[in-house]
């Protein structure tokens, strides 16, 4: 696997400065851009490792701290191994920050991140890929709908909620998407039930969005995250294969 080089960078947004992790192959060349959108636990070492693994396959990856309005990462103190059943107070800390990520703030932030990638000498010209995890998958769908001229592919894993009964539900905005989508749902996930998955698929089909969704049977919500009790090594390995196949097909032209 290619050696990568990672560094901390700051991305200026209309609301302040978002600290971020930037990683790319250590070859001095420009590569297609990828924006990784974090899960609810935030920017931390395991997510940097995930970004490095994507970069090692020939991508320049930007991983911002979505909670930058509340401070630089780590915004909250996290254990090396996250087991929400043993540490329920973690959710009490992150939920207010998740709720703060309104569609208006998402648009502002996503625009800043995508502009940063577009002007980086480490990124080749053209559309980028989005990879979203947990809440990040939801935000990735919304960003692809907001900026269809900048996004070529979206991969989402154990995402949610993608279907709600509110006017701002992500599945109601997909008609603007021009990217190809791949979504992998956990077999055990209250955030995306079989009914939710069916409604999400039907919305994508009705909008003419190129997509494929799969259910990883037996996997728990959060199966990609190596530092959590939900981690499933087989499902995580499958997620990398599907993500990279999607990106290779859409970003290497």
């Amino acid at each position: 696997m290619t050696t990568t080089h990672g560094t901390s960078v700051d991305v200026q947004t209309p609301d302040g400065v978002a600290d971020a992790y930037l990683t790319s192959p250590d070859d001095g060349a420009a590569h297609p851009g990828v924006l990784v959108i974090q899960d609810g636990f935030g920017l931390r070492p395991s997510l940097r490792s995930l970004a490095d693994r994507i970069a090692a396959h020939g991508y320049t990856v930007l991983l911002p701290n979505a909670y930058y309005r509340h401070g630089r990462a780590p915004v909250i103190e996290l254990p090396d191994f996250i087991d929400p059943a043993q540490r329920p107070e973690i959710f009490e800390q992150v939920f207010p920050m998740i709720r703060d990520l309104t569609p208006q703030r998402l648009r502002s932030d996503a625009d800043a991140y995508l502009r940063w990638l577009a002007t980086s000498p480490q990124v080749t010209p053209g559309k980028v890929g989005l990879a979203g995890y947990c809440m990040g998958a939801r935000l990735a769908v919304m960003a692809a709908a907001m900026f269809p001229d900048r996004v070529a592919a979206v991969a989402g894993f154990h995402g949610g909620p993608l279907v709600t009964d509110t006017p701002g539900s992500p599945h109601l905005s997909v008609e603007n998407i021009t990217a190809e989508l791949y979504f992998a749902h956990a077999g055990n996930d209250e955030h995306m039930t079989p009914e939710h998955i069916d409604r999400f698929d039907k919305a994508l089909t009705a909008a003419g969005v190129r997509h494929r969704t799969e259910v990883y049977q037996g996997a728990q919500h959060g199966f990609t995250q190596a530092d959590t009790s939900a981690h499933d090594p087989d499902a995580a390995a499958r997620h990398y294969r599907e993500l990279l196949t999607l990106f290779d097909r859409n970003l290497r032209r």
Side-chain angles (χ1 to χ4, degrees), residues 223-238:
F223 61 80
T224 61
Q225 301 303 301
D227 62 345
T228 74
S229 57
H231 183 237
D232 183 319
D234 291 338
R238 180 180 174 186

Side-chain angles (χ1 to χ4, degrees), residues 23-25 31-34 54-55 57-61 244 247-248 251-252:
T23 178
S24 62
H31 299 274
V34 169
I54 297 172
H57 287 266
Y59 295 98
T60 296
V61 182
L244 293 168
F247 285 174
D248 287 349
L251 303 182
R252 300 187 181 283

Side-chain angles (χ1 to χ4, degrees), residues 110-123:
D111 181 49
Y113 303 149
L114 294 172
R115 286 181 183 274
W116 195 96
L117 284 169
T119 58
S120 171
Q122 294 175 252
V123 179

Side-chain angles (χ1 to χ4, degrees), residues 19-21 36-51 63-68 70-80 82 90-91 93-95 97-98 101 133-136 139 158 221 224-228:
D19 52 307
Y21 180 66
V36 172
I37 308 179
Q38 66 175 57
D39 66 350
F41 296 127
L43 179 54
R44 58 196 191 278
S46 68
L47 273 182
R48 292 185 182 92
S49 295
L50 183 152
L63 168 62
N65 166 24
Y67 300 150
Y68 71 88
H70 299 268
R72 299 180 72 86
V75 179
I76 65 171
E77 183 179 350
L78 291 169
D80 293 335
I82 303 170
I90 292 174
F91 286 122
Q93 293 175 284
V94 301
F95 279 155
M97 295 188 289
I98 294 173
L101 292 172
Y133 300 86
C134 184
M135 74 164 194
L139 299 182
H158 45 84
H221 179 83
T224 61
Q225 301 303 301
D227 62 345
T228 74

Side-chain angles (χ1 to χ4, degrees), residues 69-180:
R69 292 177 181 85
H70 299 268
R72 299 180 72 86
V75 179
I76 65 171
E77 183 179 350
L78 291 169
D80 293 335
F81 181 76
I82 303 170
D83 184 350
Q86 300 297 321
R87 296 287 301 276
E89 75 279 4
I90 292 174
F91 286 122
E92 296 175 6
Q93 293 175 284
V94 301
F95 279 155
M97 295 188 289
I98 294 173
R99 286 192 291 267
D100 276 351
L101 292 172
T102 63
Q104 293 77 17
R105 285 182 169 179
L106 170 64
R107 177 182 287 276
S108 174
D109 290 348
D111 181 49
Y113 303 149
L114 294 172
R115 286 181 183 274
W116 195 96
L117 284 169
T119 58
S120 171
Q122 294 175 252
V123 179
T124 55
K127 295 184 177 182
V128 305
L130 305 183
Y133 300 86
C134 184
M135 74 164 194
R138 175 177 178 271
L139 299 182
V141 170
M142 297 170 69
M146 291 171 176
F147 303 102
D149 58 328
R150 305 190 214 176
V151 180
V154 177
F157 301 92
H158 45 84
L162 297 169
V163 175
T164 70
D165 293 326
T166 67
S169 177
H171 82 289
L172 298 177
S173 66
V174 298
E175 67 274 2
N176 293 329
I177 293 177
T178 59
E180 180 181 354

